Amino acid sequence: MLTIFNKELMNPPKELHSPASLSSSNKPKSPEEIIKDFLASNPTNAFSIGFGSSACFAYAPPENRYSNYQRLFCGVDEIYCIFLGGLNNLNSLLRQYGLSKGNNEAMFIIEAYRTLRDRGPYPADQVLKDLEGSYGFVVYDGKAKSVFAALGSDERVKFHWGVAADGSVVVSDNLKLIKESCSKSFAPFPAGCMFHSEQGLMSFEHPRSKMKAMPRIDSEGVMCGADFKADVQSRICTMPRVGSEANWALRGFQA
């Protein structure tokens, strides 16, 4: 899977950028080149969908149809989701949200996102803690022009993210594609964390802790994009802005 968002939609921590990308022989690619490479590597069954200059999703079914992990894509009411992995408690979650048994994980994530956005009865971090299984997902809300992404804490599903030539943010489960597309400005997306356009990167396991950038050196001794983890010794004191569109995502910061 592949998603690309312009830097206004998805502004990552500055430490994801590596100055070494400027001097590397492997220069970052444009979003158009990255999408072309993805489709060329999956010539028979891949597709892409673009949203103007804001975002692009590209998807290909799993190569191994007997894989333990699903790869799902769906869209409802201008909300689009790519989901990898599986939720062990999907049936109970569907009942909790009043959804029929025919809904898959990607459909559930869209409904959970929409509930958080519109009504927000629970903090976003608590909703993610209720998900049992191995998973990662990326949601794009075409109406609100926002991105919501998360990766489960068990590290069985892996995402990487990086920075394209124009500053757009690339997210994919294909490490080779990320390396070739983003030069040295890439890193693993941190497990147990979520990203929202309004609030940025945060840990849903430790929602009141600040995120800390950890320097990362590759096998050539070159500084790459940083790893990120929750600094459990720190505390976030900022209160949510009342009435903000992202208020649902900020409830986890309330003291």
Side-chain angles (χ1 to χ4, degrees):
M1 57 74 71
L2 169 69
T3 62
I4 303 176
F5 301 102
N6 69 30
K7 54 189 175 183
E8 285 74 31
L9 271 179
M10 194 171 189
N11 187 19
K14 65 181 185 298
E15 293 87 356
L16 187 60
H17 296 258
S18 170
S21 291
L22 300 175
S23 57
S24 173
S25 58
N26 175 32
K27 301 296 183 184
K29 296 181 180 180
S30 69
E32 294 78 13
E33 291 177 299
I34 298 169
I35 295 163
K36 183 179 178 181
D37 289 347
F38 179 87
L39 296 176
S41 66
N42 301 275
T44 60
N45 56 7
F47 70 88
S48 66
I49 177 171
F51 305 91
S53 61
S54 298
C56 181
F57 276 43
Y59 171 86
E63 293 182 6
N64 178 6
R65 60 190 255 157
Y66 301 107
S67 170
N68 291 329
Y69 297 122
Q70 304 172 94
R71 186 178 295 173
L72 305 169
F73 172 81
C74 72
V76 179
D77 295 336
E78 296 188 53
I79 303 173
Y80 301 87
C81 176
I82 286 183
F83 180 96
L84 273 65
L87 298 178
N88 301 330
N89 62 335
L90 178 62
N91 287 337
S92 64
L93 291 168
L94 293 176
R95 288 194 298 271
Q96 179 182 339
Y97 282 78
L99 300 174
S100 68
K101 290 183 178 180
N103 286 281
N104 61 30
E105 281 90 343
M107 296 174 184
F108 164 74
I109 291 297
I110 286 178
E111 185 59 31
Y113 166 82
R114 185 158 48 185
T115 299
L116 286 167
R117 182 195 67 183
D118 298 341
R119 299 189 292 277
Y122 305 109
D125 59 276
Q126 185 58 57
V127 172
L128 292 173
K129 287 177 184 175
D130 289 342
L131 307 184
E132 298 175 6
S134 302
Y135 66 89
F137 64 82
V138 181
V139 171
Y140 172 60
D141 185 339
K143 289 181 179 178
K145 295 292 188 285
S146 64
V147 178
F148 180 40
L151 187 64
S153 56
D154 69 359
E155 301 188 40
R156 293 184 180 180
V157 174
K158 298 182 184 298
F159 281 171
H160 285 77
W161 59 342
V163 183
D166 66 347
S168 296
V169 177
V170 185
V171 182
S172 179
D173 62 332
N174 187 328
L175 176 57
K176 180 174 181 290
L177 178 70
I178 289 283
K179 283 183 175 180
E180 293 174 351
S181 302
C182 303
S183 186
K184 302 298 183 181
S185 295
F186 75 94
F189 190 93
C193 292
M194 64 184 187
F195 181 97
H196 185 266
S197 294
E198 293 285 339
Q199 188 57 34
L201 183 67
M202 64 176 284
S203 167
F204 62 78
E205 293 187 307
H206 306 283
R208 292 193 173 98
S209 296
K210 296 178 181 179
M211 296 300 295
K212 183 178 181 180
M214 310 291 293
R216 192 169 63 90
I217 308 294
D218 68 8
S219 59
E220 299 172 346
V222 178
M223 182 77 73
C224 294
D227 285 326
F228 300 91
K229 71 174 186 177
D231 182 359
V232 296
Q233 303 301 319
S234 67
R235 298 278 291 183
I236 295 175
C237 299
T238 305
M239 294 297 289
R241 292 173 291 155
V242 177
S244 168
E245 185 177 86
N247 193 44
W248 65 269
L250 293 167
R251 284 185 169 87
F253 293 120
Q254 291 179 331

